[in-house]
Amino acid sequence: MATRGRGAAAAVALLMAVSAALPPARGFSVPLQRPADCGTDRYFDSSRLACAPCGAYQRQSAGGSSCECEPGYRMVSSNGGFSVTCEKCPENMSGVTQDGWNCIACPRGLTSKGNCKCPNNEILVERSLDGVLLDEALCLHCNGSEQSFSASDASGSRCVRCEQTFIQVSKSCDCNSPNILTGGLCFLAREGLPPKGVAAVRFAQLGLTLASAWFLKNLQSSAFACWLYSNLTACQALGNMCVMNMNSLSSSSTDACGLFQYIFVSTARVGVIHSIPYWRHNLPWLYYGDQPGLASQVLEKNHFPTTFTFKGTDKDVKLKFIAASFDAAGNFLKWQHLEGGLLQLCPDTQTKLNAAYVFGTTYQQNCKLSVSKILLDFADPVFYDLFLEYNGGNGQQHLWAVPVLNLNLQYNEKFVNQGSNMNNWLLTRRFFLVDALSGKENDLGKPPRVIRIASKITISIRLVSHTQRGTIYPPLITVAYTDVLVQNPETQSVMVSFAVSYEMNQREAQIQTDIALGVLGGLAVLWSLLKTAGWKRRTGSSIIDLQTVFKFLLFYAGDLANVFFIITVGTGIYWLVFFKAQQFVSVLLPLPSQEEDFVTYVACAFSLKALQFLHLLVSQLAVDIFFIDWERPKGKVLKAVEGEGVTKSTAAPVSIWRTYFIANEWNEIQTVRKINPLFQVLAVLFFLEVVGFSNLAIMDASSSLTRSSESYVAPWSRILRFGVSAALWVAIAILQILFFAVIYERFVEDKISQFVDLCCVSNISVFLLSHNCFGHYIHGRSVHGHADTNMEEMNMNLKREAKRGPARLLDSSANTFEQSTRAYNAMNKFLSSFIDHVHKEMDYIVKDKLLLERILGMEFMEPIEKSIFYNDEGHSFTDVLYYGNETTLLIFDILFFSVVDLASQSFVLAAILTYLQQEIFRFIRTTLGQKNLASKTLVDQRFLI
């Protein structure tokens, strides 16, 4: 124990010592400094990550991470630029050598950095051949005669052979007038040269036109070299400058695209490549024609010469895009496949990036990128010509050119590609992701003033109509660019997106939907007219008034809601089955924009069904209900007469508790349904979210219920979400109804039949009037005469009934009802006497309904002389309860769930709100129904528990 104690004490002491050695929290904080923050007299010390002062006669170097001597000072000592000693040069040797270590006389003057300078075509010499420093710098002229053809290089330090165009034009290294010197090249002045180009780039979104340093340097020379010498690199460079100008064409402009078109038209005689009329020899392929109107021929005239499947080999299920890439100077870089995220600016895993090219997978990716990261990653633009690879009939690999729809392209100052009319489009070929080059104004070494970013790229795949083998039209890549005025790259950002969409002509499906809607809508009108006629007969009215029209509209709203429901459920299940189950592609899902009509149908179905539901609720809450107690008094009792002081013999009162009991049971079954609503909601949610049926609503070809966490999750299809959820709702509801009808209500509990049995046992009949001249009657008159009895007599009555069977139907030859007691109210006397045929002027007959009457739910016979009672074994009195309107309630629940889900894209939220609305309406129905029961039956509401 002692040893342990000393060890623990030592550990505590050590911890305290370590804690004491640690600095406070603010000791771990350092200020953020960048090389640009240091100014001219300080440098960025990378070991301290902070600015440090330069020494005397020193300034910050070009990189910012060291110091250098000021002009007129030479280095005496240097430790890699971090510790420098400088010394002033004497007056007669005021220049500093290129390496900065020595002073030297400069007869031709000094540069801004304090070095010696020489005129053009002369090179600077500071040392002799053996390395001895000269006292005075020499400027030696490069021999440009025919024997040497030499000129100084770009650094001015050595003589090299001059550019070939100088030799060809002037037989020297000089390009004197009238020859044309541009872009470091010399051209012979003659007729037929391309016109002088406008070295400007227009950024239409910013309303800005810049004189580009890159264009000033290379535009004219590229055009001349391409035109005169068919220089492949120059032609590609000229095409790239046209692409940087958004391929915009104008009849009055001689910008990069104007020069390209001039050369394209003038070289018609040189022939075309691969029999493609838009692809000239030596020129890049930039346009599909020189004016709008050819897009439909390019995109729809020919089919892509291979087929795709959803469940085939790798070559059949993937889109193998390949791109030829070029740099800005026109040099071919390499062939590159798009897999790996070549065109996707947003970073992601390799698996998710490559999912974009799985056939049938609708792909969407978007993110926000900082301008500083874009400038760092895309300092030099890369240009792409996109193709789709396929196998030819002879096993040879072939390429199909993919056209580009540039939304920023202007034709005669109009954005012709931004409309939906294909006949106005002007398709192009080449595109880029980021252009940080053309926006540099004066110096190519400085950051650009404006950059242009492909902020939205969409590859569209269109299925050929009536295909059964997955034949598609040529893909189309749509590019939208965003112009960004660079002000503070660290804080500026741009939203970028990449998408792959699949579409087919939905016109035929829309026509079929419209036909179904028209036919079923017409049938709904006829059905609603029949309902209205039946309602008029039940109300005893023969006049078509405003109330009749209003009632017809309510009936039609419910029936039309059913029509919309049938169409939308059928549509959802159709797309779910035929899209997910197909192997050889014949159908593709509608685009989100094409789903708008479907969503409108769902919204209409819900609105109309909600109106029908409210109408049903109001109708049930206005039902007239009466209880008829058939119980007779047993014997007489002595009763004191108030005010007379005498006792008289009167009939024994009949107990009211049976009536209260029946009223309570009726109150309980008002909201009983054929399904369990809570189980329904939980079961649907379980299959959607736990089992994984929700994965079937994803816009891809997979029909798997499980997805890997690393795999790409495509966007949801609203049609598929509705189809999956509605199918599950209907399937689970049907299973519930079958279970309750076949098993539960037979072997466990049937509340409706139990209520009828209870009425018979209690000797109480129920009158329900849902209309002025129509209602339901539950004949509960006991065959035993009395219900107020002891247990032994009650058991004997039940045994006798079990042997003979219940007698709950009215008998047309029933005896005249006996005189009831004076204790019951006049209504009970009247109804009981009516049932017993006491009032001959209001007599009735009992008969069975015709089959057609049962099917249509209406009565053909007019009760002219006598009322008509129809035998009813189907418990049609449940029409005034939830139980008899399960279809309406179920459809309303499905539509409510679907509307919430379509609005929120959340099955969980839809399930919660659906259950809440069920409970709210059940509470309203129970509460108001209880009040109606109490007011109509004169049963005190305090006895309804």
Side-chain angles (χ1 to χ4, degrees):
M1 291 294 293
T3 303
R4 286 186 180 179
R6 286 196 296 271
V12 172
L14 178 61
L15 287 175
M16 292 179 62
V18 172
S19 299
L22 292 175
R26 65 175 179 271
F28 295 106
S29 175
V30 296
L32 173 62
Q33 293 184 342
R34 299 180 177 87
D37 301 330
C38 297
T40 58
D41 57 348
R42 295 192 300 169
Y43 74 99
F44 186 76
D45 188 344
S46 59
S47 65
R48 298 170 52 207
L49 299 180
C51 297
C54 292
Y57 314 118
Q58 299 173 22
R59 65 180 183 180
Q60 187 187 81
S61 64
S65 59
S66 62
C67 297
E68 63 182 11
C69 293
E70 293 180 349
Y73 290 82
R74 73 177 184 91
M75 286 189 296
V76 178
S77 64
S78 174
N79 183 18
F82 305 109
S83 177
V84 181
T85 303
C86 300
E87 178 182 82
K88 186 174 177 60
C89 290
E91 294 293 335
N92 61 339
M93 302 178 70
S94 58
V96 181
T97 58
Q98 296 289 330
D99 57 18
W101 285 97
N102 301 98
C103 297
I104 192 171
C106 299
R108 301 293 184 92
L110 301 174
T111 65
S112 60
K113 295 182 178 181
N115 305 120
C116 298
K117 67 177 181 178
C118 290
N120 291 334
N121 280 341
E122 293 187 0
I123 60 172
L124 176 66
V125 178
E126 297 177 337
R127 297 177 184 273
S128 62
L129 293 177
D130 57 359
V132 176
L133 182 69
L134 303 177
D135 293 332
E136 184 178 271
L138 300 178
C139 289
L140 300 180
H141 184 77
C142 293
N143 188 350
S145 65
E146 188 173 353
Q147 302 299 325
S148 303
F149 289 131
S150 64
S152 62
D153 62 1
S155 64
S157 60
R158 55 194 293 260
C159 292
V160 296
R161 182 178 173 85
C162 56
E163 213 283 329
Q164 184 65 25
T165 57
F166 286 78
I167 301 173
Q168 292 177 347
V169 171
S170 63
K171 303 299 182 181
S172 69
C173 289
D174 296 322
C175 189
N176 299 320
S177 182
N179 298 326
I180 302 173
L181 176 64
T182 176
L185 303 178
C186 186
F187 299 96
L188 183 66
R190 64 180 184 180
E191 293 183 3
L193 280 177
K196 182 175 179 57
V198 179
V201 180
R202 182 180 180 187
F203 298 94
Q205 294 177 355
L206 302 175
L208 186 65
T209 300
L210 293 182
S212 171
W214 178 260
F215 282 43
L216 284 170
K217 179 181 178 182
N218 298 296
L219 177 61
Q220 202 70 47
S221 60
S222 297
F224 285 175
C226 179
W227 164 251
L228 292 174
Y229 308 120
S230 298
N231 185 284
L232 300 182
T233 305
C235 293
Q236 296 289 342
L238 177 62
N240 292 341
M241 283 182 272
C242 176
V243 175
M244 285 190 276
N245 241 339
M246 296 290 95
N247 292 92
S248 296
L249 291 175
S250 175
S251 57
S252 60
S253 175
T254 56
D255 58 5
C257 294
L259 293 177
F260 179 86
Q261 285 297 102
Y262 177 88
I263 297 174
F264 182 86
V265 172
S266 303
T267 56
R269 65 186 183 278
V270 302
V272 298
I273 300 175
H274 301 303
S275 301
I276 299 175
Y278 318 115
W279 197 352
R280 294 281 165 79
H281 273 294
N282 306 320
L283 292 177
W285 179 8
L286 296 188
Y287 296 95
Y288 286 87
D290 56 357
Q291 59 186 357
L294 298 176
S296 59
Q297 297 183 28
V298 174
L299 297 175
E300 296 181 342
K301 183 178 180 180
N302 298 309
H303 300 167
F304 184 68
T306 191
T307 58
F308 295 92
T309 66
F310 279 174
K311 299 174 176 64
T313 60
D314 184 69
K315 66 178 182 179
D316 296 328
V317 299
K318 283 197 173 181
L319 296 164
K320 293 186 285 187
F321 287 103
I322 188 171
S325 55
F326 301 83
D327 64 10
N331 298 301
F332 175 78
L333 300 177
K334 57 183 175 179
W335 286 104
Q336 294 178 271
H337 284 91
L338 296 196
E339 290 187 342
L342 181 65
L343 301 185
Q344 291 141 286
L345 295 176
C346 298
D348 213 330
T349 64
Q350 193 80 5
T351 302
K352 293 182 179 180
L353 290 174
N354 293 342
Y357 308 109
V358 176
F359 187 77
T361 299
T362 299
Y363 188 90
Q364 287 183 359
Q365 183 195 46
N366 54 74
C367 64
K368 182 181 288 187
L369 295 178
S370 67
V371 173
S372 61
K373 177 174 174 55
I374 293 174
L375 290 173
L376 181 64
D377 295 342
F378 299 94
D380 299 314
V382 178
F383 299 84
Y384 301 100
D385 290 343
L386 190 61
F387 298 87
L388 186 56
E389 186 178 350
Y390 68 96
N391 291 324
N394 55 359
Q396 174 70 34
Q397 293 293 104
H398 290 271
L399 301 177
W400 191 282
V402 178
V404 177
L405 182 67
N406 186 345
L407 300 184
N408 297 67
L409 181 148
Q410 294 184 65
Y411 184 80
N412 290 332
E413 309 301 325
K414 295 181 180 180
F415 292 97
V416 294
N417 289 344
Q418 293 186 0
S420 59
N421 189 353
M422 188 183 298
N423 295 321
N424 293 332
W425 292 352
L426 178 59
L427 300 180
T428 57
R429 281 284 298 133
R430 186 166 293 186
F431 66 98
F432 59 87
L433 296 182
V434 177
D435 172 21
L437 180 62
S438 64
K440 296 180 179 181
E441 279 191 292
N442 302 314
D443 188 349
L444 292 175
K446 292 183 179 180
R449 182 182 175 190
V450 180
I451 62 173
R452 188 172 261 151
I453 304 165
S455 56
K456 186 175 181 180
I457 300 177
T458 303
I459 300 177
S460 302
I461 311 295
R462 296 177 64 241
L463 190 70
V464 175
S465 300
H466 306 294
T467 180
Q468 300 297 326
R469 305 290 296 180
T471 305
I472 65 172
Y473 291 110
L476 173 69
I477 179 168
T478 304
V479 184
Y481 290 94
T482 298
D483 302 335
V484 179
L485 184 64
V486 181
Q487 296 174 327
N488 188 348
E490 298 294 336
T491 59
Q492 288 179 280
S493 60
V494 181
M495 283 296 302
V496 297
S497 67
F498 179 86
V500 180
S501 64
Y502 293 82
E503 59 181 300
M504 63 178 290
N505 190 346
Q506 301 290 342
R507 181 174 178 81
E508 185 176 345
Q510 184 63 47
I511 291 174
Q512 293 175 352
T513 302
D514 293 341
I515 292 174
L517 185 60
V519 172
L520 294 179
L523 294 177
V525 172
L526 297 178
W527 188 245
S528 301
L529 288 173
L530 282 176
K531 284 185 177 180
T532 307
W535 173 80
K536 291 292 290 181
R537 178 164 294 182
R538 291 178 176 183
T539 55
S541 172
S542 59
I543 302 174
I544 300 178
D545 52 6
L546 186 61
Q547 183 184 12
T548 304
V549 176
F550 182 69
K551 205 70 175 181
F552 165 76
L553 293 176
L554 289 175
F555 287 138
Y556 184 58
D559 295 332
L560 191 59
N562 295 335
V563 169
F564 279 119
F565 179 76
I566 292 172
I567 289 176
T568 52
V569 171
T571 301
I573 295 177
Y574 167 83
W575 287 113
L576 178 64
V577 173
F578 283 88
F579 176 74
K580 290 290 185 177
Q582 63 186 337
Q583 177 177 355
F584 299 103
V585 183
S586 59
V587 295
L588 290 175
L589 290 172
L591 295 175
S593 59
Q594 296 171 328
E595 292 179 330
E596 296 302 326
D597 288 343
F598 178 84
V599 175
T600 302
Y601 291 163
V602 175
C604 290
F606 171 71
S607 302
L608 296 172
K609 184 56 68 171
L611 186 62
Q612 182 192 15
F613 173 69
L614 293 176
H615 174 229
L616 172 68
L617 198 64
V618 172
S619 300
Q620 290 189 358
L621 294 176
V623 168
D624 293 323
I625 180 170
F626 306 99
F627 294 141
I628 305 173
D629 191 350
W630 299 100
E631 192 69 18
R632 299 291 180 268
K634 287 186 176 181
K636 295 185 178 181
V637 295
L638 297 177
K639 183 178 181 181
V641 181
E642 292 185 9
E644 298 182 5
V646 297
T647 301
K648 292 186 177 181
S649 176
T650 61
V654 177
S655 173
I656 194 64
W657 289 108
R658 289 173 297 99
T659 302
Y660 289 166
F661 186 54
I662 294 297
N664 271 286
E665 290 302 313
W666 176 264
N667 187 48
E668 290 181 5
I669 67 172
Q670 288 190 97
T671 54
V672 170
R673 294 182 59 175
K674 295 181 180 180
I675 64 172
N676 186 318
L678 177 59
F679 176 81
Q680 178 78 19
V681 172
L682 293 178
V684 170
L685 191 61
F686 172 79
F687 280 100
L688 286 173
E689 296 294 346
V690 180
V691 178
F693 276 83
S694 60
N695 289 320
L696 296 177
I698 294 175
M699 298 177 70
D700 62 15
S702 174
S703 54
S704 173
L705 300 182
T706 58
R707 300 297 175 103
S708 168
S709 58
E710 289 111 21
S711 63
Y712 170 75
V713 178
W716 300 104
S717 166
R718 289 180 290 183
I719 291 180
L720 292 186
R721 284 183 75 93
F722 179 83
V724 171
S725 60
L728 281 175
W729 267 90
V730 172
I732 295 173
I734 291 175
L735 291 176
Q736 277 210 82
I737 291 173
L738 291 176
F739 169 76
F740 277 96
V742 176
I743 298 176
Y744 188 84
E745 291 182 353
R746 281 193 178 188
F747 302 106
V748 182
E749 182 183 30
D750 183 356
K751 292 188 176 182
I752 302 301
S753 296
Q754 286 177 352
F755 177 76
V756 176
D757 293 339
L758 184 63
C759 289
C760 184
V761 172
S762 302
N763 207 15
I764 292 179
S765 296
V766 181
F767 238 121
L768 302 167
L769 292 179
S770 56
H771 300 77
N772 293 340
C773 299
F774 179 83
H776 306 275
Y777 174 68
I778 303 174
H779 189 51
R781 188 171 187 175
S782 176
V783 296
H784 312 295
H786 293 281
D788 281 339
T789 182
N790 55 38
M791 183 178 295
E792 181 179 2
E793 187 176 350
M794 176 62 71
N795 288 334
M796 291 298 296
N797 291 340
L798 293 176
K799 289 179 180 179
R800 287 197 298 270
E801 182 172 335
K803 292 179 180 179
R804 296 181 300 178
R808 294 172 194 146
L809 300 181
L810 288 176
D811 186 359
S812 58
S813 60
N815 295 325
T816 306
F817 185 67
E818 298 179 0
Q819 182 69 30
S820 71
T821 62
R822 289 176 295 176
Y824 217 90
N825 57 57
M827 179 60 74
N828 193 66
K829 290 179 181 179
F830 168 74
L831 291 176
S832 58
S833 61
F834 171 73
I835 294 300
D836 277 341
H837 301 275
V838 172
H839 307 284
K840 298 301 180 180
E841 71 281 4
M842 292 185 295
D843 206 357
Y844 64 90
I845 59 174
V846 179
K847 61 173 296 184
D848 293 324
K849 265 192 174 184
L850 300 175
L851 178 61
L852 187 59
E853 288 180 316
R854 294 178 182 179
I855 294 174
L856 297 179
M858 60 185 300
E859 299 77 35
F860 295 157
M861 291 185 61
E862 284 278 2
I864 301 175
E865 296 181 357
K866 293 183 178 182
S867 300
I868 303 174
F869 275 48
Y870 293 98
N871 289 320
D872 179 22
E873 292 287 356
H875 296 163
S876 64
F877 69 90
T878 56
D879 289 346
V880 300
L881 304 174
Y882 265 12
Y883 190 89
N885 296 275
E886 184 59 50
T887 302
T888 299
L889 298 175
L890 179 62
I891 294 177
F892 177 73
D893 289 342
I894 295 174
L895 291 172
F896 184 91
F897 179 93
S898 300
V899 166
V900 175
D901 173 64
L902 291 178
S904 65
Q905 298 287 286
S906 172
F907 288 125
V908 176
L909 178 62
I912 293 173
L913 293 183
T914 300
Y915 177 70
L916 287 178
Q917 68 85 10
Q918 288 175 343
E919 290 299 303
I920 290 172
F921 282 114
R922 188 184 66 83
F923 174 78
I924 294 173
R925 176 66 178 85
T926 301
T927 304
L928 298 182
Q930 182 175 309
K931 290 183 177 180
N932 179 65
L933 178 64
S935 64
K936 299 295 175 61
T937 61
L938 303 179
V939 174
D940 195 302
Q941 194 170 349
R942 289 172 295 181
F943 291 101
L944 299 176
I945 57 176

